Amino acid sequence: MDDLSLTLGIAIFIVAAGVIGYFGVQMTKVARQLASDTGMGEALMGAVFIGASTSLSGITASVTAASQGHAELAVSNALGGIAAQTFFLVVADMVYRKANLEHAAASAENLMMAAFLIVLLSIPLAAFAMPDFAVYAIHPASFAIVGTYIFGIYVLSRTHKMPMWFPKRTRDTRVESYQRPNKRKHSFLGVLWIKFLLYSAIVAVSGWALGHAGIAIAGTTGLSESIVGGVLVAVSTSLPELVIAVTAVRMRSLTLAVGDIIGGNTFDTLFISVSDISYRQGSIYSDITRNELFWLAMTILMTGVLLMGLIHRERHGIANIGLESFIVMVCYIGGLALLAYQ
């Protein structure tokens, strides 16, 4: 597939992106029901299950690129995806007109996830700054990212079960309600989980197609791998997060929308670890460019601004999207402009 013509590559790219977008809506409906019936809660459901499932297309694209020696494409897809998905939260904020989304979707879990994401992003930043070092062509930082992610999910689960902080409720705060599962629902829950797994598999296959099509487009057009991975492939493989976030907002499942974005971003940091394992030419951290470092700095900046917005909880702001959403939008669009004209 890497030798596809430009026309066929673009066609496959568009079809795969469309499939991802459609099944993202279906996943939202199933996920919302699961969050309610299992008692898991929208934030945890969005962070762990939806975040991981919707990221399957992106991780497949990064692994495909890394296994074929495209280090820049693999890493820029991971970091560009995090930046794009954070920007998608601004789009979801625009859709919710009643109040600032970060104000209405207040929860201890979302605060924890945002802080957790900054910690995860700091690990590859340190690895990029260190001298080249690898064990069997794998940098120790890749194992550190995986270990930190597992521990972070445990802490997030504890935060959901025994929160020590509670947001102040206002008339614009949306509080989710759920009920505990009972015996009559067990068979129905099984059907829901099967549907969820089916949609996840479709998303993963579409991501595989997107990865190959992106590599083909990069080779045919002469565009840099950083641009193709950080913008073209990253945005397309992040479409499920956008669709789910907007759909969840329209369904008034605001915590699910925010949890989907931030949870998907935390899972996307694993792209770097898996790409390093798949990249056999050495440590992938030593073969990236300043463009990837720029994406990494930008994602930390955008996440920090988002975390401040979640804490401050401005009710109404610029264009009714909140000051933090406006700053995130400026950072992302400005970052794209800088990469395009460098």
Side-chain angles (χ1 to χ4, degrees):
M1 287 185 64
D2 300 338
D3 298 324
L4 293 173
S5 66
L6 178 60
T7 302
L8 186 55
I10 292 176
I12 293 176
F13 196 95
I14 293 174
V15 171
V19 170
I20 291 173
Y22 172 78
F23 282 97
V25 176
Q26 309 306 315
M27 288 178 64
T28 308
K29 297 176 181 178
V30 175
R32 187 188 186 211
Q33 190 67 46
L34 284 171
S36 173
D37 291 348
T38 62
M40 187 182 304
E42 292 181 356
L44 194 59
M45 183 69 192
V48 180
F49 291 96
I50 299 182
S53 299
T54 54
S55 295
L56 288 176
S57 57
I59 200 169
T60 306
S62 283
V63 169
T64 300
S67 64
Q68 299 182 17
H70 300 278
E72 295 177 37
L73 180 58
V75 176
S76 62
N77 173 54
L79 298 175
I82 295 175
Q85 288 160 197
T86 306
F87 172 71
F88 289 164
L89 200 57
V90 177
V91 178
D93 198 359
M94 293 178 179
V95 174
Y96 189 69
R97 303 305 302 164
K98 187 176 181 180
N100 180 15
L101 182 60
E102 282 75 19
H103 173 90
S107 72
E109 297 96 321
N110 286 337
L111 289 175
M112 176 63 72
M113 281 190 292
F116 176 35
L117 177 57
I118 294 176
V119 172
L120 284 170
L121 290 171
S122 299
I123 298 175
L125 178 62
F128 290 147
M130 291 171 58
D132 186 18
F133 177 75
V135 178
Y136 296 106
I138 304 174
H139 197 284
S142 296
F143 298 108
I145 292 173
V146 175
T148 303
Y149 178 82
I150 295 173
F151 177 73
I153 294 301
Y154 167 75
V155 174
L156 180 61
S157 177
R158 296 276 296 179
T159 302
H160 172 69
K161 294 178 180 178
M162 296 182 294
M164 301 299 292
W165 295 90
F166 297 93
K168 180 180 179 180
R169 294 185 181 181
T170 68
R171 66 176 184 273
D172 293 322
T173 304
R174 295 287 300 183
V175 181
E176 65 171 307
S177 60
Y178 59 86
Q179 55 192 35
R180 294 292 179 181
N182 54 56
K183 294 181 179 180
R184 293 178 300 174
K185 289 185 176 179
H186 284 176
S187 60
F188 179 65
L189 286 175
V191 174
L192 287 177
W193 281 115
I194 291 174
K195 287 183 178 180
F196 192 85
L197 292 174
L198 176 61
Y199 298 153
S200 300
I202 295 174
V203 166
V205 173
S206 300
W208 174 83
L210 273 174
H212 281 286
I215 294 173
I217 293 172
T220 305
T221 61
L223 293 173
S224 69
E225 292 186 2
S226 297
I227 297 297
V228 174
V231 181
L232 191 60
V233 177
V235 171
S236 298
T237 55
S238 298
L239 281 178
E241 278 82 0
L242 174 61
V243 174
I244 287 176
V246 172
T247 304
V249 166
R250 291 187 176 277
M251 295 168 61
R252 296 297 186 267
S253 298
L254 306 185
T255 307
L256 180 65
V258 177
D260 161 50
I261 294 295
I262 306 179
N265 285 349
T266 59
F267 188 85
D268 284 7
T269 60
L270 297 178
F271 291 13
I272 304 175
S273 297
V274 179
S275 296
D276 189 26
I277 296 172
S278 303
Y279 188 70
R280 294 291 81 202
Q281 285 84 339
S283 169
I284 202 169
Y285 300 91
S286 62
D287 288 341
I288 51 92
T289 66
R290 289 186 300 175
N291 289 338
E292 284 70 56
L293 290 175
F294 176 80
W295 276 123
L296 180 57
M298 189 59 64
T299 56
I300 295 176
L301 173 61
M302 295 169 69
T303 305
V305 171
L306 175 61
L307 176 58
M308 293 175 65
L310 289 169
I311 295 174
H312 180 61
R313 295 185 64 201
E314 183 182 33
R315 182 170 295 177
H316 299 284
I318 300 174
N320 201 41
I321 63 172
L323 179 60
E324 76 283 348
S325 291
F326 179 77
I327 295 175
V328 167
M329 179 175 61
V330 171
C331 288
Y332 184 68
I333 296 176
L336 292 179
L338 287 174
L339 287 177
Y341 288 99
Q342 67 175 346

